[in-house]
Amino acid sequence: MPYWNPKTETLSRDRLRALQLSKLRSVATWAQARSPFYRRSFAAAGFAPEQLRGWDDLRRIPLLTRDEWMASQAQHPPYGDLLAVDPARASRLHTTSGTTGADPLRALDTRSDWAWAAELWCYAIWGCGIRPGDIAYLAFGYGSFIGFWGLHYGFEKAGVLTIPGGAQNTEQRIRQLVAFGATVVASTPTYALRLAQEAARIGADLRGSAVRTLILSGEPCPPQTRALIEDAWGARTFDTAGMTEIGTIFLFECADRPGGGHVIEDHLIEEVADPETGDPVGYGELGERIVTSFGRSAVPLLRYRTADLVRKVPAGTCSCGRTFDLYEGGVLGRTDDMKLVRGTNVYPRAVEGIVREFASVGEFQIRLFTTPDLRDEITVRIEAPEDPDLLGDLRRRLAAAHEGLRFQIERVPGGSLPRFELKARRVVDARA
Ligand SMILES: [Zn+2]
């Protein structure tokens, strides 16, 4: 059986909608009754949970932004007043990684919330073919950032031997995962590449190891990057995506790997909207994810604007039989990571896709700066061996993909650029 939850993963779309609507009513009623923040925001929008009669009533619920959550946290430290339970009932505290702001978002979970987080990860674990008997290695620094914590508990729940690879350097992790015969490794895409580079340096044979599956999460992952990872490891990669705000994943790639991931629609509602106007966009159109989660009781999340850019396609796009819609290519970027350079839009994911076509490039960095005569310049710094053709080829490929925009390519010494274990931060915008 390829499904973790055969009943819900194959529900007809009509019955799935009915299930979602019923869960939506419960969570809206819970939020209204227990959370001061939602009581305020519902009242301001003239919304009451009793108004949720049909699917279109979803849009009566006001949108929630990260700024509102952060403001609530600042006014009512340390957790803000979205909270719908007494903090004394919580069993865990996790934060965002702090990549987009100085002050991380803090979220509490109860024991049942935490069980829910692990349950959603199980859809991904089972869906990509991992079974009891597998040995899973989590190449992740276990800290307050939520990262792969939920996956750790998901592996345990699914009956998979779970090895926590925290508090070690990259070389020690490689030696461990090889020595323990890990068949599954979980990491960010960036860190999977770094593990492979380090393995090559110390002479460890990843392709000859027992690893056959890599679970990736934490960053958008262009196909070129995945191809490099799969080649270096001799293993299949499966993309997942989650966020601290829901405490778990919302998307997983099934064993059929149709070029995108299924949205876990029996536990979430995922809308896609135009980031400017907030109007819903149709299948195949790029837009911003708006998430409603059903399983987190301590911090209910209703219509949260995620800033993630996605393109939804219908369930039938995949041949696995699941009725869950998909996000083609996973998370494609963020509404706030697009850079405007001399009138041209530059998305870091697109640049990464091109850089990763050149297998000899190790780490890279995108630098934006203003020249003394007030021109915006964009430089891609790469760690790569001496190769006269490489720089010119890369410059031409980048320009061709960006309306002729001129990129400067700068070769820097190996090991001089920052390394990342969690979310990579490869864009440095030093413009005036
Ligand atoms: Zn599928």
Side-chain angles (χ1 to χ4, degrees):
M1 182 63 78
Y3 316 118
W4 172 252
N5 189 336
K7 187 173 175 203
T8 56
E9 290 181 62
T10 56
L11 273 184
S12 71
R13 294 294 299 174
D14 283 351
R15 293 185 62 195
L16 188 55
R17 278 275 191 266
L19 176 67
Q20 289 176 309
L21 191 57
S22 141
K23 289 189 176 187
L24 179 65
R25 284 191 199 106
S26 299
V27 74
T29 304
W30 170 264
Q32 161 116 323
R34 306 292 299 261
S35 157
F37 179 93
Y38 281 107
R39 214 154 32 235
R40 247 184 357 257
S41 79
F42 287 0
F47 167 74
E50 304 79 66
Q51 293 169 347
L52 294 170
R53 295 190 191 91
W55 185 253
D56 292 340
D57 296 322
L58 170 63
R59 297 193 66 214
R60 293 173 181 265
I61 301 174
L63 293 165
L64 169 68
T65 64
R66 183 180 171 120
D67 285 348
E68 289 172 319
W69 188 335
M70 293 304 292
S72 160
Q73 206 172 268
Q75 282 159 16
H76 307 275
Y79 305 117
D81 67 350
L82 267 80
L83 208 60
V85 301
D86 181 341
R89 285 196 48 206
S91 63
R92 303 192 71 104
L93 165 65
H94 286 284
T95 66
T96 47
S97 58
T99 50
T100 49
D103 199 14
L105 185 147
R106 307 179 193 102
L108 290 177
D109 282 303
T110 64
R111 284 164 62 97
S112 65
D113 294 353
W114 197 247
W116 179 77
E119 170 73 7
L120 267 66
W121 271 105
C122 283
Y123 284 67
I125 293 166
W126 211 260
C128 71
I130 297 168
R131 293 293 180 270
D134 271 312
I135 299 171
Y137 191 89
L138 288 98
F140 156 63
Y142 288 64
S144 63
F145 173 52
I146 198 149
F148 287 104
W149 275 105
L151 178 60
H152 178 107
Y153 284 76
F155 278 137
E156 289 189 356
K157 180 172 182 173
V160 174
L161 179 59
T162 310
I163 307 171
Q168 295 179 88
N169 66 32
T170 303
E171 178 177 342
Q172 289 167 327
R173 285 180 180 145
I174 292 162
R175 296 200 187 284
Q176 258 196 345
L177 72 90
V178 171
F180 293 157
T183 57
V184 179
V185 171
S187 78
T188 62
T190 295
Y191 197 60
L193 273 181
R194 186 168 153 214
L195 283 163
Q197 287 158 0
E198 183 73 2
R201 192 185 66 80
I202 64 172
D205 178 16
L206 291 183
R207 292 185 63 90
S209 76
V211 179
R212 61 177 178 80
T213 303
L214 290 161
I215 292 195
L216 305 177
S217 204
E219 298 164 344
C221 185
Q224 297 89 339
T225 303
R226 290 183 65 165
L228 273 186
I229 295 170
E230 296 199 338
D231 183 57
W233 285 80
R236 295 179 90 202
T237 58
F238 292 90
D239 191 22
T240 64
M243 61 195 315
T244 307
E245 290 90 328
I246 59 169
T248 185
I249 51 166
F250 54 87
L251 170 129
F252 69 98
E253 200 170 19
C254 68
D256 287 11
R257 299 207 304 176
H262 291 280
V263 176
I264 308 176
E265 290 188 275
D266 54 339
H267 288 288
L268 306 158
I269 293 174
E270 289 270 333
E271 302 167 75
V272 185
D274 182 318
E276 301 292 329
T277 64
D279 292 335
V281 303
Y283 281 135
E285 288 181 62
L286 190 69
E288 179 183 359
R289 288 180 52 229
I290 296 171
V291 62
T292 297
S293 93
F294 300 137
R296 207 176 207 182
S297 59
V299 192
L301 209 61
L302 286 116
R303 301 200 77 212
Y304 180 69
R305 291 191 62 166
T306 65
D308 283 342
L309 289 170
V310 290
R311 203 186 299 278
K312 192 185 271 187
V313 294
T317 310
C318 185
S319 53
C320 71
R322 286 179 182 82
T323 50
F324 295 167
D325 285 345
L326 301 106
Y327 286 144
E328 189 178 83
V331 173
L332 300 173
R334 299 196 34 93
T335 56
D336 50 13
D337 71 4
M338 194 269 288
K339 299 289 180 187
L340 192 65
V341 184
R342 301 200 297 269
T344 301
N345 292 344
V346 177
Y347 288 96
R349 184 185 197 266
V351 173
E352 178 181 348
I354 292 164
V355 171
R356 292 303 182 208
E357 289 172 10
F358 298 84
S360 62
V361 176
E363 195 47 76
F364 72 99
Q365 186 182 59
I366 303 165
R367 287 184 67 86
L368 298 139
F369 58 96
T370 311
T371 63
D373 58 347
L374 301 179
R375 258 173 83 82
D376 281 354
E377 291 289 349
I378 182 164
T379 298
V380 179
R381 307 171 80 199
I382 56 170
E383 291 181 8
E386 186 91 54
D387 175 355
D389 296 333
L390 173 69
L391 271 58
D393 287 350
L394 182 54
R395 186 182 299 114
R396 275 189 292 278
R397 283 283 295 116
L398 286 166
H402 291 88
E403 301 166 8
L405 180 68
R406 193 181 70 255
F407 286 72
Q408 300 178 11
I409 313 294
E410 184 187 341
R411 207 167 65 86
V412 299
S416 64
L417 294 176
R419 261 44 181 177
F420 303 97
E421 189 177 307
L422 296 174
K423 293 170 188 294
R425 275 181 284 176
R426 295 197 175 93
V427 181
V428 178
D429 193 344
R431 288 180 291 186

